[in-house]
Amino acid sequence: MGSFPPLQEGESLLVAGRWQHHQRYGRQVAVEHWERILPATEEGLKRYLSSGLIRGIGPVTAEAIVKAFGMKALEIMEREPERLQEIPGIGPKKAAAILESFGEYRDMQDVLVFLQGYGIGVGQALRLFRHYGRQAVDRVKENPYILAEEVTGIGFKTADSIARKMGLPAAAPARIQAAILFTLSEAAGRGHVFLPRQLLTEEARKLLLIPGEPLPDIPMEEHLEQLAGERKICRETTADGEIIYAAPYFYAEREVARRLARLAAAPRQLSSSRKEEALAAVAGKESGLTAEQRQVLERALSCGVLIVTGGPGTGKTTTIRALLSLFHLLKQKVLLAAPTGRAAKRVSEATGEEAFTIHRLLEYSHIEGEGFRFLRHAERPLEADVIIIDESSMVDLMLMYHLVRAIPAGCRLIMVGDADQLPAVGAGNVLKDLLDSGILPAVRLNHIFRQARESLITVNAHRVNRGEMPYLNVRDRDFFFIEEAVPEMVARRVVQLCCERIPNYGPFDPVADVQVITPMRRTAAGVERLNRLLQNALNPYDRRKSEVTVHGVTFRLGDKVMQIRNNYQKEVYNGDIGIISEIDLEEGLLTVTFRDAAVDRPVAYDFSELDELTLSYAISVHKSQGSEYPVIVMPVITQHYLLLQRNLLYTGITRAKKLVVLVGTRKALAIAVRNNRAEERYSYLGHRLRREGETIAGRDGESE
């Protein structure tokens, strides 16, 4: 939407969504985009007041306000706000809430008018307003490029477009340096901790290209030097050439290596007799431990850092349970944690021990005036003798940095996970790097237990991991393949499976038990299209159900939704799945009920916060990490060629507890099985860890 002139007296901005009344049973609201309109009629004024962004005013309250005050309603709300209480049903408390929201709304209008003048869409404008509040305009004028650094969802191109319209030259230092920093940020989003210098400069130059204009000569070295001097980037020369980090990742990688090497080298004092007694007691309690699992217990008593890895059915959870028993017998304080709420809940249920998310373990909290911080750190470490981290493949570099800083001297760290799964969504490949370093002791669990061998899910997961085709369509088993080549037909088959065939095959609820996972987002059988199809099939429009549409996504009462970013205030985290249990159009609130440890927990969202949610009938394979579902349905088609990788297929299969159904072609399945070339992530953690280990060993040798 282009720019438009300033508002004239008496004009306002309105969310151009329309309320549609379905007789007296239900309502629907759409919140799509902002338009400049004049509420010239009482009907228009009602639409303005009930637009969904003024909390406490829905259609009924808007009707009452306009009936009482007519076209002077806005003037009265601004100049005589106490008169709102003249309206039946509006007491002091509700009036105060309405007026507070109305004030925020008017502030937001001013910001949106300015930003739309620079071509910024409503979604991005709302994010800016939530981030900066009424200071948004000043921050943009001061330095448009700060938006790309600080505001989620706003990239360099948007910031650059604003800066160029403000008259900033193409060769301005602020523009070039912003392109360098944004390139490193984008690389981190793809999992890279650093970039080789040549690749960094090539990608930054591409960002700086302006169609129809020659790219000016850019003294890249000069700008790199300035950024390094300001400690925004760090440069290091390796055997392969120069590498460049955004500064936080450099310091994090260096600190993780240093602290892990120190933890691993610290001596562990425990008498032989006490060890033997404890090991014997645990072996008696946990009968049937394999030689590998017993080796884990023995090494856990002598190592400061231990890695335990293995595929499905190899007894990782049993091993964690045995470790807990062992250290409890030795009167050691043990803390158990996992990267996500879902993973923490799963290991807690399996072991009977309280498990935390790593963020909760480190007391991630909001501090007035400082934002969110970890309250456990080097100056205030955790109080523990042993820390066990499950699902360690999901731990990225920055989270690992905050974890190791909070581990006290003399504490043991045990990391458990499947190194063959997809790496963490964030930057780094921590578990793989630690294993590849060769510095830290590790035990791989290879024995597949008999009960697990009876499941084709487990058998086929291991076959895929070895580069072998899975067994398909064995009668009366739990792993099926449906041949379908055309992507549109694959999507239809997936919907039919979820709605009819799987619920009829077993006692599976199509919403609660069946999870569709797919490699890509925007394809005929991708996340976005499958969500629309499954929503229409499993929770279709019903005039008795309220719904709200925000930026093209309709959220309906009863929909299955996922939180897509961590929200520590609400205590919901990226990947948490729940059901929409209430939509209050009067208050502009939507409630999602999440299930935590068999307890239903309702969480309320203001309509302006709905960009934190997405439909989750279908999710990406990456979003499924750390979770288990009774049934997995997964398209495997050549249209997803870019992501047909062995570790992605393996991760998808291992999310299922009772049934896997793949839909697609054998050709696509074979491509995925053969393709073991997962995208390389630029990381130097393994090298740093080896170097730190050699340094510590050298010091020990000198002291002797």
Side-chain angles (χ1 to χ4, degrees):
M1 189 182 300
S3 62
F4 46 84
L7 296 178
Q8 303 301 313
E9 185 176 354
E11 291 185 328
S12 299
L13 283 176
L14 169 68
V15 172
R18 293 184 302 277
W19 291 92
Q20 298 173 347
H21 296 268
H22 303 297
Q23 299 179 17
R24 60 188 180 86
Y25 299 108
R27 293 162 294 194
Q28 174 183 8
V29 63
V31 184
E32 284 295 340
H33 59 278
W34 295 77
E35 291 180 352
R36 173 182 180 271
I37 71 160
L38 176 66
T41 66
E42 289 192 354
E43 195 59 40
L45 186 55
K46 290 174 194 174
R47 286 202 304 271
Y48 170 79
L49 290 171
S50 62
S51 61
L53 290 181
I54 303 176
R55 291 185 300 278
I57 301 183
V60 174
T61 305
E63 179 91 29
I65 291 172
V66 175
K67 183 177 180 181
F69 303 134
M71 292 301 294
K72 291 187 176 180
L74 295 177
E75 182 182 342
I76 288 170
M77 288 174 69
E78 286 189 356
R79 298 181 182 178
E80 303 175 80
E82 69 281 353
R83 292 190 59 191
L84 271 181
Q85 296 180 52
E86 296 175 12
I87 297 169
I90 299 183
K93 188 175 180 181
K94 182 168 183 178
I98 288 173
L99 292 168
E100 181 184 1
S101 181
F102 181 62
E104 293 174 358
Y105 188 35
R106 296 300 292 258
D107 288 341
M108 182 164 58
Q109 289 178 349
D110 294 338
V111 173
L112 291 171
V113 170
F114 171 80
L115 294 174
Q116 287 209 349
Y118 289 100
I120 297 180
V122 66
Q124 292 174 321
L126 287 172
R127 275 193 288 273
L128 274 172
F129 182 78
R130 284 206 299 273
H131 193 82
Y132 294 124
R134 64 185 65 186
Q135 281 78 44
V137 171
D138 292 336
R139 296 303 299 271
V140 172
K141 287 179 177 177
E142 179 185 324
N143 179 8
Y145 294 107
I146 201 169
L147 304 181
E149 294 180 40
E150 295 186 0
V151 184
T152 304
I154 294 183
F156 177 83
K157 288 186 178 178
T158 299
D160 193 43
S161 172
I162 297 171
R164 297 284 288 155
K165 287 176 182 177
M166 288 181 172
L168 197 75
R175 181 171 187 261
I176 296 164
Q177 290 168 25
I180 293 169
L181 294 174
F182 185 75
T183 299
L184 288 172
S185 174
E186 283 286 282
R190 301 194 305 271
H192 302 301
V193 179
F194 65 83
L195 285 179
R197 177 192 164 121
Q198 184 176 351
L199 181 58
L200 169 63
T201 55
E202 286 173 1
E203 293 193 2
R205 286 177 189 277
K206 288 177 188 174
L207 275 181
L208 293 166
L209 278 171
I210 299 171
E213 294 185 23
L215 183 65
D217 183 38
I218 298 171
M220 202 61 83
E221 175 62 25
E222 178 183 316
H223 293 293
L224 291 173
E225 274 298 306
Q226 185 170 339
L227 287 170
E230 294 171 0
R231 298 192 174 185
K232 292 183 177 179
I233 66 169
C234 293
R235 310 171 69 174
E236 185 159 332
T237 302
T238 71
D240 298 319
E242 186 179 14
I243 59 178
I244 299 176
Y245 295 75
Y249 289 100
F250 173 80
Y251 296 120
E253 189 177 79
R254 188 177 65 178
E255 189 73 354
V256 168
R258 188 173 67 86
R259 288 185 175 270
L260 283 178
R262 287 182 180 179
L263 281 173
R268 296 294 183 273
Q269 303 296 330
L270 200 64
S271 69
S272 298
S273 59
R274 200 173 169 208
K275 275 187 192 177
E276 295 305 321
E277 287 173 13
L279 289 168
V282 173
K285 184 178 177 182
E286 294 282 351
S287 59
L289 291 177
T290 65
E292 294 163 346
Q293 289 173 317
R294 289 195 296 273
Q295 184 187 12
V296 170
L297 299 180
E298 291 168 4
R299 299 195 78 176
L301 293 177
S302 58
C303 298
V305 180
L306 177 65
I307 300 172
V308 182
T309 185
T314 57
K316 293 191 296 296
T317 302
T318 301
T319 304
I320 291 174
R321 197 163 55 234
L323 285 165
L324 291 167
S325 296
L326 175 66
F327 288 114
H328 288 328
L329 277 169
L330 293 168
K331 308 297 184 188
Q332 303 269 288
K333 182 175 180 181
V334 185
L335 293 175
L336 178 62
T340 68
R342 294 165 295 152
K345 180 167 56 177
R346 196 153 58 85
V347 72
S348 181
E349 290 170 351
T351 62
E353 188 96 359
E354 183 180 15
F356 304 87
T357 63
I358 296 176
H359 280 84
R360 187 173 157 219
L361 183 74
L362 301 179
E363 299 178 21
Y364 192 70
S365 305
H366 186 269
I367 307 299
E368 192 66 37
E370 298 181 31
F372 284 97
R373 289 177 48 205
F374 290 98
L375 301 185
R376 292 288 182 176
H377 41 67
E379 288 72 42
R380 186 173 174 260
L382 293 163
E383 297 171 9
D385 301 303
V386 183
I387 295 172
I388 301 174
I389 305 296
D390 193 23
E391 293 287 357
S392 295
S393 64
M394 298 178 68
V395 179
D396 63 30
L397 177 67
M398 295 308 295
L399 187 56
M400 191 68 187
Y401 163 73
H402 290 292
L403 174 64
V404 297
R405 286 187 74 233
I407 297 176
C411 182
R412 290 178 170 85
L413 173 64
I414 301 172
M415 300 183 66
V416 182
D418 186 345
D420 296 316
Q421 286 190 29
L422 290 170
V425 175
N429 200 351
V430 173
L431 186 62
K432 183 177 183 299
D433 286 345
L434 300 186
L435 285 166
D436 290 349
S437 73
I439 292 295
L440 302 177
V443 178
R444 177 176 281 274
L445 303 176
N446 292 305
H447 177 79
I448 304 174
F449 285 83
R450 183 183 61 80
Q451 186 177 358
R453 287 200 303 270
E454 293 173 357
S455 165
L456 265 189
I457 296 173
T458 301
V459 170
N460 280 339
H462 284 277
R463 286 183 65 83
V464 166
N465 202 32
R466 294 193 299 266
E468 302 169 5
M469 284 290 284
Y471 297 124
L472 302 177
N473 300 336
V474 179
R475 188 178 178 85
D476 298 327
R477 300 301 288 273
D478 55 6
F479 195 105
F480 296 94
F481 179 80
I482 296 175
E483 188 97 25
E484 185 60 70
V486 181
E488 288 76 9
M489 290 303 299
V490 169
R492 290 188 191 179
R493 286 288 192 109
V494 167
V495 173
Q496 182 192 35
L497 282 162
C498 294
C499 296
E500 301 169 19
R501 293 183 65 180
I502 290 173
N504 292 333
Y505 179 78
F508 298 121
D509 182 281
V511 176
D513 295 333
V514 181
Q515 185 59 60
V516 176
I517 61 176
T518 183
M520 299 187 79
R521 295 199 61 82
R522 296 178 181 87
T523 62
V527 171
E528 294 176 3
R529 183 163 186 263
L530 285 173
N531 265 320
R532 289 194 296 272
L533 295 174
L534 288 164
Q535 181 190 45
N536 290 336
L538 294 170
N539 189 30
Y541 165 76
D542 186 323
R543 65 183 185 179
R544 291 164 294 186
K545 291 182 178 180
S546 297
E547 59 183 48
V548 57
T549 300
V550 182
H551 309 316
V553 179
T554 296
F555 295 102
R556 186 174 294 139
L557 194 66
D559 271 338
K560 182 178 181 180
V561 293
M562 174 184 279
Q563 176 79 16
I564 56 173
R565 65 179 68 108
N566 292 333
N567 187 320
Y568 300 99
Q569 289 175 308
K570 296 182 188 294
E571 294 187 346
V572 286
Y573 305 100
N574 190 353
D576 285 351
I577 289 178
I579 301 294
I580 297 175
S581 52
E582 184 180 358
I583 299 177
D584 188 331
L585 300 174
E586 287 287 317
E587 297 294 329
L589 294 175
L590 179 149
T591 301
V592 179
T593 297
F594 296 94
R595 181 146 242 206
D596 291 340
V599 176
D600 288 339
R601 187 169 70 89
V603 177
Y605 294 80
D606 187 273
F607 283 176
S608 66
E609 299 176 309
L610 294 185
D611 58 351
E612 293 190 14
L613 295 174
T614 187
L615 295 175
S616 63
Y617 299 99
I619 62 177
S620 68
V621 181
H622 285 85
K623 287 289 187 186
S624 74
Q625 285 180 267
S627 294
E628 283 187 338
Y629 311 93
V631 181
I632 285 295
V633 179
M634 184 175 177
V636 184
I637 54 178
T638 52
Q639 192 181 35
H640 296 163
Y641 183 84
L642 288 174
L643 288 178
L644 287 178
Q645 298 167 359
R646 186 185 300 174
N647 63 349
L648 188 139
L649 177 62
Y650 172 79
T651 299
I653 292 170
T654 55
R655 299 308 90 206
K657 291 191 285 188
K658 297 180 179 178
L659 180 66
V660 169
V661 184
L662 305 181
V663 184
T665 64
R666 292 172 189 265
K667 177 182 178 182
L669 189 59
I671 290 170
V673 170
R674 288 196 303 266
N675 181 11
N676 199 29
R677 299 186 304 277
E679 183 185 0
E680 179 192 359
R681 290 190 169 194
Y682 291 114
S683 168
Y684 210 56
L685 180 59
H687 296 275
R688 292 190 192 282
L689 189 54
R690 281 193 291 274
R691 200 158 64 197
E692 290 288 342
E694 290 165 2
T695 301
I696 290 172
R699 287 196 204 118
D700 291 344
E702 288 173 10
S703 63
E704 290 173 8

